[in-house]
Amino acid sequence: MSRKSVPRRRAWGGIAVLTLTGMVVGAWAVAASPIFHIREVRVNGNRHLSASEVVRLAGIADDANLLALPAEGVERALARNPWIGSAQVHRSLPSTLVVTIEERSPVAWVGQPKGVAVVAADGTVLSRRTNPPEGIVAIGRSGRALGPGARIRGFDDQLAVVASLGPSLRRQVERARLERGEMVLRLEDGTLVRYGEARYLNEKNEALAKVLRWAGKQGAELTYVDLRVTGNPAVKVRGA
């Protein structure tokens, strides 16, 4: 009985190997099929970057196979661009790749040798320019040139306050600087805002917005706004 059982086990073993080999070859054939060639790349979340730029940054070849594409590698390639804060890649069978990115937004600029650096809220330098852009806030000067992708240091409080302002309020702020541990803002119309420590940002911003709306309705020209006592802003009207 034992002599007969040995060949039988060998036979079953050979069948298992052949079956497994067939499955592997079959899976490879399916994965390599032209059906799974990427025919569409769908880009979500882009504002500054165009969809074609995102595809180029992702490094996706024209004949790439959707199943064989290394998603993590594509995400890493996209994350190298300073405008892209995060990226996620998903497959939509049989032939669509979905790329979802979250872009950084410019909130401030820093003076530097031969121009300015445009900076996101997390301190990432997005671009270099010869002239300051409109709609974002000057927060100081760097002694060395900072290229795209670099991180600025020493401006944490300025960036925290400026990023918290929101686009409409931020457009009214010309400069933000740190004086003796307290933030001071200068508005486009010359109003000085004693912001205080970089704390209770939402409450202070709401108070500042209300004061500016009140001044606009009254036609009042403000000399300064003091937000250092949270919830109880003080104002001085020019000529009063």
Side-chain angles (χ1 to χ4, degrees):
M1 293 295 292
S2 60
R3 293 178 183 176
K4 294 181 180 179
S5 61
V6 173
R8 189 174 300 168
R9 284 199 297 270
R10 289 177 179 173
W12 282 113
I15 292 172
V17 170
L18 290 174
T19 302
L20 180 60
T21 302
M23 292 175 62
V24 171
V25 172
W28 177 86
V30 171
S33 170
I35 296 174
F36 297 105
H37 283 180
I38 297 175
R39 292 177 173 81
E40 179 187 5
V41 180
R42 192 178 304 154
V43 178
N44 301 321
N46 58 310
R47 298 184 305 277
H48 173 80
L49 297 170
S50 67
S52 59
E53 286 179 303
V54 174
V55 173
R56 177 182 61 79
L57 292 168
I60 303 168
D62 293 337
D63 60 346
N65 184 285
L66 186 65
L67 298 182
L69 187 75
E72 292 184 357
V74 173
E75 292 171 355
R76 285 195 299 270
L78 290 170
R80 295 189 190 103
N81 186 278
W83 285 91
I84 298 178
S86 65
Q88 290 185 329
V89 174
H90 300 284
R91 299 176 178 88
S92 180
L93 297 178
S95 59
T96 299
L97 186 71
V98 181
V99 179
T100 302
I101 65 172
E102 182 176 346
E103 289 188 348
R104 294 183 175 95
S105 299
V107 298
W109 63 270
V110 176
Q112 61 178 13
K114 299 182 180 180
V116 302
V118 178
V119 184
D122 64 355
T124 300
V125 176
L126 301 177
S127 63
R128 294 173 62 179
R129 296 169 53 108
T130 54
N131 298 310
E134 296 182 357
I136 61 176
V137 184
I139 59 172
R141 185 167 185 82
S142 171
R144 63 188 183 91
L146 301 169
R151 291 290 184 97
I152 64 168
R153 306 297 179 188
F155 295 93
D156 292 350
D157 285 352
Q158 293 94 316
L159 286 171
V161 171
V162 168
S164 74
L165 292 173
S168 60
L169 193 55
R170 191 183 306 133
R171 281 192 290 269
Q172 301 181 63
V173 180
E174 181 181 82
R175 293 185 177 276
R177 66 181 186 273
L178 192 63
E179 292 184 359
R180 299 177 182 177
E182 294 188 341
M183 289 298 305
V184 178
L185 312 181
R186 182 178 178 84
L187 304 189
E188 292 283 355
D189 62 4
T191 303
L192 198 67
V193 179
R194 297 286 181 183
Y195 199 91
E197 296 181 354
R199 302 172 59 198
Y200 310 112
L201 304 181
N202 292 336
E203 292 85 346
K204 290 180 178 180
N205 296 340
E206 184 177 349
L208 178 58
K210 287 181 179 179
V211 168
L212 295 179
R213 285 196 298 269
W214 170 84
K217 290 178 181 179
Q218 299 297 320
E221 296 183 11
L222 301 174
T223 300
Y224 74 80
V225 180
D226 193 335
L227 302 174
R228 288 176 292 182
V229 179
T230 306
N232 187 25
V235 302
K236 181 174 176 57
V237 178
R238 187 171 288 113

